[in-house]
Amino acid sequence: MLLLTTACIFTACQKDDTDFSAYINGDSSDDSDTSTTSTIYIVYNGTSVSVTGDTKGYVSTSGADVTVNTGTDTDSLLLVLSGSTSDGSLLVYREKKYGIQLNGVSITNADGPAINNQCGKSLYMEVSSGTTNTLTDGSAYDETVSYQQKGALFSEGQIYFSGSGSLSVTGNYKHAIACDDYIVVNGSPTINASTSTGNGIKVNDGIWINSGTIDISVSSEAGRGIKCDSVVVITGGDITISTTGDDVYDTDEADYSSAACIKCDYPFTMTGGTLTMTSSGDGGKGLNCDGAVTVSGGTFSAITTGGNDNSKPKAVKGDGITVSGGTFYAKVNKSWACDNGVDSDTPADRITIVGSPSTQSVAKKLVNIIYD
């Protein structure tokens, strides 16, 4: 069942249209009913906005709060955002996939997400080259609304990140980035996600990082850099994740819950790129995976420096840990660097090494493996 679920998720991810330029031009191959493109420019200006290109009356505004509702229209839609507001937002209702182009925009919303995508289909978010973009939520949300809101950037549907600009997302109430579907990172965007109240990235159905630069900083107790209810797949990119929060007692689980740079419920796979994880809180973990951990390429590093007063810190924890390529480094001050679920006091029993690495050092608190 696990393999079938993972295969279905991966197939869906592969089949979806990842060509942002083709989509916004209205010639996506799997959207035969899409013939025209509606490009709407939204410019934030303090407490107001200016909107151009809205020929169909999709957009309504209240101060700098913008709502886009396309109903059942199937035209290809691109929203181009720019300007700045300290009291604004973007809320989108739509039944078809669409694009958002971040073109030098700064949005702070005091009582909810900066961007709230209520479309269950794909959201193509292009971070325009040469631009700096920021999204920030408030420390309290308006809980009287009928729609979900889980982070400074929230999406009901999949998010495809692309482009080569910079995006900084700060979560002050819950998460920085939250997605109820899956996330794919393509192109070369720089994405910074930080929070002191939740997770850096919270995603339900998997995350695929193929390229780009991602920097995640989480200081909340038991906070996770990436919290994924499904698979985590890294094929490229430069990813840095740090957590500093201590563990907390979970009354529902009757156990302590600890911070982790990555916490995933299904397999973790890395074939390329660079992943650097540091966790300094009590009981903190680098990678905490309920499925198999497989590293066959790239540079993987997980370091924990926290104590073990209530829970045991681990650099890598998984249902089986296999390394067959790349560079793998795991280090702790307390407990085991690698924990694959095997009850053994022999460090070599805690990890499976395939092939012949040029460097192989396996001890309780330090594991270092390098393939040429």
Side-chain angles (χ1 to χ4, degrees):
M1 180 61 71
L2 172 60
L3 292 175
L4 178 60
T5 302
T6 303
C8 289
I9 294 171
F10 186 73
T11 300
C13 179
Q14 290 294 96
K15 285 185 176 179
D16 211 326
D17 174 23
T18 60
D19 187 342
F20 185 87
S21 62
Y23 172 66
I24 64 174
N25 288 331
D27 56 3
S28 172
S29 60
D30 62 348
D31 249 2
S32 57
D33 56 353
T34 298
S35 57
T36 59
T37 301
S38 295
T39 301
I40 299 175
Y41 297 87
I42 300 171
V43 181
Y44 291 88
N45 184 20
T47 57
S48 64
V49 293
S50 63
V51 179
T52 57
D54 180 24
T55 60
K56 296 193 173 183
Y58 292 154
V59 181
S60 60
T61 63
S62 176
D65 292 317
V66 179
T67 300
V68 179
N69 191 336
T70 65
T72 59
D73 282 3
T74 59
D75 283 356
S76 178
L77 175 67
L78 174 64
L79 305 177
V80 181
L81 309 183
S82 60
S84 176
T85 177
S86 59
D87 186 19
S89 63
L90 174 67
L91 173 63
V92 180
Y93 295 99
R94 182 166 167 81
E95 295 183 5
K96 291 286 185 179
K97 57 188 179 179
Y98 71 103
I100 291 179
Q101 190 177 78
L102 303 178
N103 196 30
V105 67
S106 176
I107 303 174
T108 296
N109 184 9
D111 58 1
I115 294 180
N116 189 337
N117 174 44
Q118 289 295 303
C119 173
K121 302 296 184 180
S122 297
L123 164 59
Y124 297 87
M125 181 164 283
E126 182 187 36
V127 188
S128 295
S129 174
T131 67
T132 299
N133 306 272
T134 62
L135 304 175
T136 308
D137 64 1
S139 58
Y141 282 8
D142 178 4
E143 300 293 354
T144 65
V145 300
S146 59
Y147 47 80
Q148 293 192 69
Q149 41 184 1
K150 300 179 181 179
L153 169 57
F154 173 64
S155 178
E156 290 281 359
Q158 312 97 37
I159 305 177
Y160 286 88
F161 287 103
S162 67
S164 57
S166 172
L167 169 62
S168 295
V169 186
T170 302
N172 291 306
Y173 178 63
K174 291 185 179 180
H175 314 303
I177 299 171
C179 176
D180 278 353
D181 211 292
Y182 60 77
I183 291 175
V184 178
V185 182
N186 292 316
S188 55
T190 296
I191 300 172
N192 300 296
S194 61
T195 180
S196 59
T197 56
N199 304 310
I201 297 177
K202 170 64 176 74
V203 57
N204 288 3
D205 295 339
I207 182 167
W208 284 259
I209 302 175
N210 300 318
S211 53
T213 300
I214 299 175
D215 193 335
I216 302 173
S217 177
V218 176
S219 60
S220 54
E221 292 183 335
R224 284 71 186 259
I226 296 176
K227 172 63 175 73
C228 180
D229 298 343
S230 184
V231 299
V232 174
V233 179
I234 298 174
T235 66
D238 188 354
I239 306 142
T240 303
I241 307 174
S242 66
T243 66
T244 59
D246 291 331
D247 49 17
V248 295
Y249 189 74
D250 188 327
T251 55
D252 292 334
E253 299 293 333
D255 198 0
Y256 281 89
S257 177
S258 58
C261 294
I262 296 178
K263 174 67 174 76
C264 53
D265 294 345
Y266 284 83
F268 169 94
T269 304
M270 183 172 178
T271 62
T274 299
L275 173 61
T276 304
M277 297 177 286
T278 57
S279 183
S280 62
D282 187 75
K285 296 172 176 62
L287 170 60
N288 185 359
C289 178
D290 290 340
V293 174
T294 303
V295 177
S296 61
T299 300
F300 177 104
S301 175
I303 301 173
T304 67
T305 59
N308 59 349
D309 293 342
N310 299 309
S311 58
K312 295 180 179 180
K314 308 281 178 62
V316 183
K317 179 179 181 294
D319 185 13
I321 302 169
T322 302
V323 179
S324 61
T327 298
F328 182 93
Y329 185 85
K331 182 181 179 181
V332 297
N333 284 344
K334 302 285 186 179
S335 188
W336 286 86
C338 292
D339 181 3
N340 61 357
V342 174
D343 186 12
S344 172
D345 291 330
T346 302
D349 293 340
R350 300 262 176 166
I351 187 169
T352 300
I353 301 171
V354 179
S356 302
S358 58
T359 299
Q360 178 176 321
S361 175
V362 180
K364 179 177 180 179
K365 295 182 180 180
L366 174 63
V367 176
N368 186 28
I369 302 166
I370 300 173
Y371 292 80
D372 286 335

